[in-house]
Amino acid sequence: MRSRFRWVIIALLFFITVVNYIDRSAISYAISDISKVLHLNADQTGLILGAFGVGYMITTFFGGIWVDHVGARRALFWASLLWTLSIGLTGAAVGFAMIFLMRILLGVAEGPNFPAVNRAVGDWLSSRERAIALSNSLVAVPLALAIGGPIATALILGTSWRGMFIILGIIGLIWVPVWYFLFRDFPEHSKRVNDAELRHIRGTDTIDRSVQPADMRRAQAHRLPSGSLWKYLLANRTLMANNWSFFVFGYYLFFFMTWLPSYFEKQYHLNLKSVGLFSVLPWALATVLLWLVGYLSDGILKRTGSLRLARSYPIWISQLLSALCVIPLTFTHNFTIAIIFITLAVGFGMSSNSTFYAINVDMMRDRTGTALGVMDTFFAIAGFLAPVITGAIVNATGSFNSAFWLMAALAATSVLAVLFFHHPDKQRRIDNPVAPGSGRSIPS
């Protein structure tokens, strides 16, 4: 009987991604109280909300290279340890400078997380299970944001914003030893993966458990020289279109993640408890749609063999629908209409998340951590710009309308980029590695 331990690994990645996103988004529910206690204006609030993106931008790029070098096991162990420290110390902040620095440190620590997720999926899942595996991991993002609102507001009301950050830091520590004990960088070296499962993962009847992890990573690195790697990454039109679309995806995500509670408070005068309750709806829909699109994407790939249909189409369709849903927000002052279109905008925008990640694994499994690091750098830039630009717009105009129009315009550029340049079937892929020391091709 074939073991199914690869799905235990996906569950571990799911759990830490939930923790990751609750930690990074919790400040949006505390920022109102923090601003009052620390006497912050809208510009300072925007800088604090955007500070995470500064640190994240640095380490998601270099973190991807690091993950490919040391493996997901060590990378996630140290990264998660550092971010639990930073989130806990946020609760001890006594002024703007300290909380700003702790947010940067949180971004630095969380940077390697998603390159490590992609690295683990690339090494542990067959090509026809990747979008499904990624959707089951990444569905943690909207789920965390859905449950994060009620959790954060309950902790703030029960223990204060300082207590909330300290408790969240403690929760993250639970996962660290479990991950290090259960995970190995390659399924070949896990005692919990039997030969039948390993043959399924590798897509071949011939398996070899004797090659050491360091040798396997070294072989992966040597298949594409550094110069060729960067030329491929930066000149590949599909990957660059994917990166730009992921920037737009990140702009939407960080806007709603950081400013949605404030939007509800400013525009509709909701209290903290109500904000936490109504913030659940958009992320709940996103959770369902992201999960479904992951299965839909791999289903289309199995039936048609077309990455264009399976990966590119969900991206441009989801971003077009999301843009069409933010435009009505500039015209309405009715809360019911606003919550409907915000829910749809978030749900559609998040739905194709797994396909962004899958493209990196599909096209270059051997260096997927590095490729994901490049893509996530675009995301990190959006993570800084979205809160800061929105804060400046709101401070200057007293309204969110211009911020919504900017989001619609960005989505239009993303749709055009994918339609014209995102053709993964037509471009060379680096996804058919050779088994170290054997000369045998390992099906991806």
Side-chain angles (χ1 to χ4, degrees):
M1 175 180 275
R2 188 169 73 201
S3 60
R4 297 175 59 84
F5 192 69
R6 65 195 184 282
W7 299 111
V8 174
I9 299 305
I10 298 304
L12 287 172
L13 295 171
F14 167 84
F15 181 83
I16 197 57
T17 304
V18 169
V19 174
N20 180 300
Y21 258 83
I22 289 178
D23 284 355
R24 72 171 68 178
S25 64
I27 196 169
S28 63
Y29 298 95
I31 195 65
S32 180
D33 287 348
I34 292 171
S35 297
K36 292 173 184 175
V37 172
L38 302 183
H39 308 291
L40 307 176
N41 59 36
D43 285 333
Q44 289 176 313
T45 298
L47 285 170
I48 286 175
L49 293 175
F52 173 89
V54 175
Y56 194 78
M57 180 171 52
I58 296 169
T59 55
T60 195
F61 179 80
F62 292 106
I65 300 171
W66 180 51
V67 167
D68 279 340
H69 180 68
V70 304
R73 185 174 183 236
R74 287 170 59 190
L76 269 182
F77 174 83
W78 290 111
S80 57
L81 200 60
L82 181 59
W83 91 55
T84 57
L85 174 66
S86 64
I87 198 72
L89 288 176
T90 302
V94 295
F96 169 79
M98 183 175 178
I99 200 166
F100 183 75
L101 289 174
M102 285 303 103
R103 291 297 295 176
I104 290 178
L105 180 60
L106 181 66
V108 167
E110 291 197 357
N113 182 78
F114 288 104
V117 169
N118 243 38
R119 176 76 271 165
V121 169
D123 289 329
W124 275 75
L125 277 297
S126 69
S127 61
R128 301 202 172 196
E129 292 179 326
R130 287 173 190 161
I132 292 172
L134 285 165
S135 71
N136 278 284
S137 299
L138 297 173
V139 75
V141 174
L143 179 63
L145 296 172
I147 65 175
I151 289 173
T153 54
L155 289 175
I156 292 169
L157 294 172
T159 67
S160 81
W161 62 269
R162 295 186 186 277
M164 175 195 69
F165 286 119
I166 292 171
I167 292 171
L168 291 178
I170 294 171
I171 291 173
L173 288 175
I174 298 171
W175 181 87
V176 175
V178 176
W179 169 257
Y180 202 76
F181 176 74
L182 290 179
F183 183 76
R184 296 296 180 269
D185 285 324
F186 298 96
E188 282 85 351
H189 308 118
S190 174
K191 296 178 180 178
R192 296 169 179 82
V193 175
N194 65 18
D195 288 350
E197 182 177 16
L198 186 56
R199 283 192 289 269
H200 172 79
I201 292 170
R202 296 305 181 211
T204 177
D205 291 331
T206 306
I207 57 174
D208 184 358
R209 293 180 181 265
S210 65
V211 184
Q212 294 302 304
D215 293 330
M216 295 182 76
R217 282 195 295 271
R218 193 177 301 114
Q220 287 177 335
H222 289 166
R223 283 177 205 128
L224 188 65
S226 181
S228 299
L229 169 66
W230 292 107
K231 181 179 179 180
Y232 180 84
L233 282 172
L234 300 178
N236 187 290
R237 289 176 298 172
T238 294
L239 290 178
M240 291 306 294
N242 205 60
N243 294 341
W244 174 250
S245 296
F246 201 60
F247 168 86
V248 176
F249 169 91
Y251 197 97
Y252 271 67
L253 176 60
F254 276 96
F255 171 85
F256 286 115
M257 187 172 70
T258 58
W259 279 102
L260 185 58
S262 296
Y263 172 75
F264 283 150
E265 287 186 50
K266 293 176 183 294
Q267 191 75 16
Y268 297 103
H269 311 293
L270 299 184
N271 58 36
L272 181 62
K273 187 174 181 179
S274 297
V275 166
L277 176 63
F278 284 109
S279 294
V280 171
L281 298 175
W283 305 114
L285 178 63
T287 301
V288 175
L289 292 183
L290 194 159
W291 184 78
L292 288 175
V293 169
Y295 281 85
L296 176 65
S297 177
D298 273 355
I300 292 173
L301 183 60
K302 288 177 182 179
R303 287 193 298 272
T304 68
S306 170
L307 289 173
R308 171 76 168 171
L309 293 176
R311 312 296 197 224
S312 309
Y313 273 61
I315 292 173
W316 76 259
I317 291 172
S318 67
Q319 295 206 336
L320 176 61
L321 291 174
S322 189
L324 292 175
C325 290
V326 299
I327 293 174
L329 297 173
T330 64
F331 299 105
T332 187
H333 296 285
N334 182 286
F335 176 71
T336 301
I337 294 175
I339 194 66
I340 289 172
F341 279 104
I342 286 173
T343 298
L344 291 173
V346 173
F348 288 135
M350 286 290 296
S351 65
S352 61
N353 195 8
S354 64
T355 57
F356 287 110
Y357 283 72
I359 279 292
N360 286 279
V361 189
D362 291 330
M363 299 197 69
M364 49 185 314
R365 194 188 81 176
D366 283 348
R367 296 293 189 91
T368 186
T370 303
L372 199 283
V374 173
M375 186 183 80
D376 232 17
T377 300
F378 282 75
F379 180 80
I381 295 170
F384 173 74
L385 291 179
V388 172
I389 291 175
T390 303
I393 289 173
V394 173
N395 202 36
T397 67
S399 168
F400 284 85
N401 285 353
S402 295
F404 289 130
W405 280 112
L406 175 59
M407 291 166 67
L410 286 172
T413 67
S414 171
V415 171
L416 292 174
V418 174
L419 284 173
F420 285 105
F421 302 113
H422 204 275
H423 295 277
D425 298 302
K426 294 181 179 180
Q427 296 190 278
R428 183 170 64 96
R429 288 185 280 158
I430 306 169
D431 64 348
N432 193 31
V434 176
S438 69
R440 294 191 308 272
S441 176
I442 299 178
S444 59

